[in-house]
Amino acid sequence: MSIDWSGVSHVTKVDPAEDLPADLSVLGHTDLVIVGGSDGVTEANSLDAIERIAESCDVPVFQEPYSASHVSSDTIDAADFLSIPAVYNGDRANFVAKHVEFFAEAGKKPEELLGASIPVVGDLIASKGREAVADLTENVLAEGYVVQNLDSKAAAESGVDRTYSPDEVAGAALATESFYDFPIFYVEYSGTYGGPEDVEAAAQYLEDTALLYGGGIQSHEQTTEILDAGADAVVVGDCFHDDPAQFLDTIP
Amino acid sequence: MSIDWSGVSHVTKVDPAEDLPADLSVLGHTDLVIVGGSDGVTEANSLDAIERIAESCDVPVFQEPYSASHVSSDTIDAADFLSIPAVYNGDRANFVAKHVEFFAEAGKKPEELLGASIPVVGDLIASKGREAVADLTENVLAEGYVVQNLDSKAAAESGVDRTYSPDEVAGAALATESFYDFPIFYVEYSGTYGGPEDVEAAAQYLEDTALLYGGGIQSHEQTTEILDAGADAVVVGDCFHDDPAQFLDTIP
């Protein structure tokens, strides 16, 4: 369960609750796609977006749900990875409680993850069920998030009521690298450009962890500033939906 | 930063706030010692206990603090590992906030971790500081805890107000194995014997994670029941302090 981040410097976040551009060929210029939003996301619109993207380009596709109800065996089959946020400055539900619920649910209902095609015969299903759970969890990626825009829907959805100082961002990055061992650390300014300061603070402690920055990226200059500050990749969302020409300008 | 758990089936938890037996040679029969308590612990009594144990026997010694104030460069040097609990059914402070604070502090004050002997010369200290932080974090072990005795000081200290069902214990175990990647999952009944049910629930999903059970172990039969249920090791605390003969009876 790993991604080679050395070839990934530009990530596109596609909101399945918004209209997708009719022509998805611009995604041929990005290195990875994350399908997820903070409002109006469903299993159906997630699956539709994942399948359309997977058909139109050859980059890895993550599904990033904010609720277990967005996830089904179909979305797990269609996406390459299921990426689950753990929000450091969010409420308890969004750091730990949701994850225990998700995995307790996955453990109780392995047959749903296997699909309906598996014969239900006593110990066999129990044993295959555990394998299915193991398979699922191999495709789960944890993302340590810091959400830095209090006015965003992402903040409201994750119970964030306070932004982190650069020292706290650095602490959360170090905790990710050496304690939680999440493969991704994500600085999220959600709709506003936060500049390089938090990325610089986080980058000093991250070696094995990929560092992503998202929020307000609209130009090649901003992409360069964030990458120069030490991010592995910028995440570009809004202008993918709104302005394909501007989107292309954010490619490194 | 790893322990070979194949040779560890009996762990002794030593409370540094209580009197230690004058003769510590019984610790030659245990496989690992964790120094930690839930009340009255200080840096001074932690260091004293760690040093006396390390002098008297040849097993790995963890320091398990419940506050960053119990940790110093002396305790880090004296113990083999710093094990930090993350309490799944605790409050937010005890799953995530304490850890971010700890690592933010470690990142801001690397010279304190290095001790006073390091020359403070500009970039050198900054660069050595980062190495010191890296060294420290290599000796940090995360423990995913479930605290199952609401009347215990451990529950009060961690903000636990609800025990987990066996399904939730299994979910937390699966989250540990595949999401948080903590090396240890710890079922803590703190002073009461909880029986094998939670251990069986957790064991089904743990392969890379060591499974520890602690609470009320007073006999060889209880040790056997817990190990047969799938635990890697039992953790024995109270009777080490109170009754060395009974302590020896808990050895597998």
Side-chain angles (χ1 to χ4, degrees):
Chain A
M1 182 219 66
S2 65
I3 290 272
D4 177 10
W5 290 97
S6 65
V8 177
S9 59
H10 188 275
V11 174
T12 304
K13 187 167 275 191
V14 175
D15 189 337
E18 293 189 28
D19 289 335
L20 268 61
D23 178 9
L24 293 175
S25 66
V26 288
L27 291 177
H29 299 276
T30 197
D31 304 312
L32 191 151
V33 174
I34 299 175
V35 173
S38 298
D39 197 23
V41 175
T42 64
E43 190 271 344
N45 62 26
S46 298
L47 182 61
D48 179 60
I50 295 164
E51 288 181 338
R52 284 175 60 193
I53 293 160
E55 278 165 23
S56 67
C57 66
D58 194 30
V59 298
V61 180
F62 290 7
Q63 180 185 11
E64 185 188 72
Y66 60 83
S67 157
S69 69
H70 309 160
V71 182
S72 66
S73 54
D74 288 340
T75 65
I76 289 169
D77 285 348
D80 295 289
F81 290 95
L82 182 63
S83 61
I84 301 187
V87 184
Y88 280 105
N89 57 340
D91 58 18
R92 188 177 171 283
N94 284 283
F95 200 89
V96 55
K98 269 187 184 177
H99 311 143
V100 173
E101 282 162 26
F102 175 80
F103 286 103
E105 206 60 29
K108 277 192 290 189
K109 299 180 178 171
E111 63 278 13
E112 291 182 13
L113 302 171
L114 281 165
S117 63
I118 301 297
V120 181
V121 281
D123 283 354
L124 180 63
I125 180 70
S127 129
K128 289 224 178 226
R130 263 195 284 282
E131 283 169 35
V133 172
D135 286 350
L136 163 69
T137 57
E138 274 180 23
N139 288 324
V140 170
L141 290 176
E143 300 171 309
Y145 257 76
V146 177
V147 176
Q148 295 286 60
N149 176 358
L150 293 183
D151 297 326
S152 64
K153 282 188 175 159
E157 183 61 44
S158 332
V160 171
D161 57 10
R162 188 173 76 78
T163 58
Y164 270 179
S165 69
D167 277 344
E168 289 174 308
V169 171
L174 187 54
T176 301
E177 175 83 11
S178 57
F179 190 80
Y180 293 105
D181 246 350
F182 300 146
I184 296 166
F185 185 75
Y186 195 132
V187 176
E188 173 63 278
Y189 272 85
S190 198
T192 58
Y193 182 64
E197 192 178 12
D198 288 345
V199 171
E200 280 164 7
Q204 65 183 324
Y205 294 125
L206 300 178
E207 284 184 26
D208 299 332
T209 311
L211 174 55
L212 306 187
Y213 167 92
I217 298 265
Q218 293 182 311
S219 69
H220 193 267
E221 289 67 32
Q222 288 171 327
T223 294
T224 302
E225 184 170 55
I226 295 297
L227 295 180
D228 286 350
D232 289 279
V234 294
V235 183
V236 176
D238 293 342
C239 67
F240 166 73
H241 292 282
D242 302 338
D243 187 340
Q246 196 172 53
F247 173 78
L248 286 172
D249 190 42
T250 66
I251 308 287
Chain B
M1 181 220 68
S2 65
I3 288 274
D4 177 11
W5 290 98
S6 64
V8 178
S9 60
H10 188 276
V11 175
T12 303
K13 187 168 274 189
V14 175
D15 189 335
E18 294 189 28
D19 288 334
L20 267 61
D23 177 9
L24 291 175
S25 65
V26 289
L27 290 177
H29 299 275
T30 197
D31 304 312
L32 192 150
V33 174
I34 299 175
V35 174
S38 297
D39 198 23
V41 176
T42 65
E43 191 270 345
N45 61 24
S46 298
L47 182 62
D48 180 60
I50 295 164
E51 288 181 338
R52 286 175 59 194
I53 294 161
E55 277 165 23
S56 67
C57 65
D58 193 29
V59 298
V61 180
F62 291 8
Q63 180 185 12
E64 186 188 70
Y66 61 82
S67 158
S69 70
H70 309 161
V71 183
S72 67
S73 54
D74 288 339
T75 67
I76 290 169
D77 284 347
D80 295 289
F81 290 95
L82 183 64
S83 62
I84 301 187
V87 184
Y88 280 106
N89 58 339
D91 58 17
R92 187 177 171 283
N94 284 282
F95 202 89
V96 55
K98 270 188 184 177
H99 311 143
V100 172
E101 282 161 25
F102 175 81
F103 286 104
E105 206 60 26
K108 274 191 293 190
K109 300 180 178 170
E111 62 279 11
E112 291 183 14
L113 301 171
L114 280 166
S117 62
I118 301 297
V120 181
V121 281
D123 284 353
L124 179 64
I125 181 70
S127 129
K128 290 225 178 222
R130 262 195 284 283
E131 281 168 36
V133 172
D135 286 349
L136 164 70
T137 59
E138 273 180 24
N139 288 324
V140 170
L141 290 175
E143 301 171 307
Y145 257 77
V146 177
V147 176
Q148 295 287 61
N149 177 359
L150 293 184
D151 296 327
S152 64
K153 283 189 173 154
E157 184 60 46
S158 341
V160 170
D161 57 10
R162 188 173 75 77
T163 58
Y164 269 0
S165 69
D167 278 344
E168 289 173 309
V169 171
L174 188 54
T176 302
E177 174 83 12
S178 56
F179 190 79
Y180 292 106
D181 248 350
F182 299 147
I184 296 166
F185 185 75
Y186 196 132
V187 176
E188 173 63 276
Y189 271 86
S190 197
T192 58
Y193 182 63
E197 192 178 14
D198 287 347
V199 172
E200 280 165 8
Q204 64 184 323
Y205 294 125
L206 299 178
E207 284 183 28
D208 299 333
T209 311
L211 173 55
L212 306 187
Y213 167 91
I217 299 261
Q218 294 183 308
S219 70
H220 194 267
E221 290 67 33
Q222 288 171 329
T223 294
T224 303
E225 183 170 56
I226 295 297
L227 295 180
D228 286 351
D232 289 279
V234 295
V235 183
V236 176
D238 293 341
C239 67
F240 166 72
H241 291 282
D242 301 338
D243 187 341
Q246 195 172 53
F247 173 77
L248 286 171
D249 191 44
T250 67
I251 308 287

